[in-house]
Amino acid sequence: MFNPGSDTLIIAPSLRQAEELFRKVVSHFEALQPPIPVSSQTSRGLSLKNGSRCLCVPGTERASRGFSAPSLVLLDEASRVPDESYQALTPLFAANPKGRLVALSTPNGTGGNGGCAGDVGGGSFSRGAWHSIAVNVGPTSA
């Protein structure tokens, strides 16, 4: 959003989930001093005077098509986004090889997209570094 004309997409299994993460992004954006001037804002998108946008998109194959060269795609609950949606994201990065995909998720079994972050989209996003952070929220034994 800080680079003029850049697009950030927030994708989640449902539009409601994408909007929830968007609210958090906007909250952090508004905390900037001084923030980049806003052109328009809705519950699903933010357009800035520098030409950048941040948009919410449901995690369906059809909805994620049509955007070109995003700078950043935030995939919330990535393990629950259908495989077809991951595959639809591949062409988005063809026009912007420096674009980044950040997949945030809780586990959802060992298969599909949630099984191994390094194998997102059948290897479509194999370039770059993948980091897996395991969080144990249950009781620990001594």
Side-chain angles (χ1 to χ4, degrees), residues 101 117-118 125-132:
L101 170 69
F125 300 105
S126 59
R127 61 185 158 76
W130 291 95
H131 303 280
S132 176

Side-chain angles (χ1 to χ4, degrees), residues 30-109:
E30 289 172 344
L32 296 175
Q33 298 297 324
I36 299 169
V38 174
S39 295
S40 66
Q41 182 176 345
T42 67
S43 64
R44 297 180 182 168
L46 177 71
S47 294
L48 304 178
K49 297 232 180 193
N50 70 357
S52 295
R53 302 181 303 167
C54 182
L55 305 168
C56 295
V57 181
T60 63
E61 179 268 340
R62 176 180 255 166
S64 58
R65 291 194 182 273
F67 297 98
S68 61
S71 296
L72 176 63
V73 174
L74 297 175
L75 214 58
D76 196 19
E77 287 300 343
S79 67
R80 286 151 176 84
V81 172
D83 290 345
E84 299 80 32
S85 296
Y86 282 99
Q87 293 162 358
L89 293 175
T90 304
L92 300 181
F93 294 100
N96 184 3
K98 291 187 177 185
R100 294 184 304 156
L101 170 69
V102 176
L104 312 165
S105 195
T106 52
N108 189 22

Side-chain angles (χ1 to χ4, degrees), residues 103-141:
L104 312 165
S105 195
T106 52
N108 189 22
T110 58
N113 296 314
C116 176
D119 193 30
V120 173
S124 300
F125 300 105
S126 59
R127 61 185 158 76
W130 291 95
H131 303 280
S132 176
I133 301 170
V135 178
N136 183 357
V137 294
T140 59
S141 58

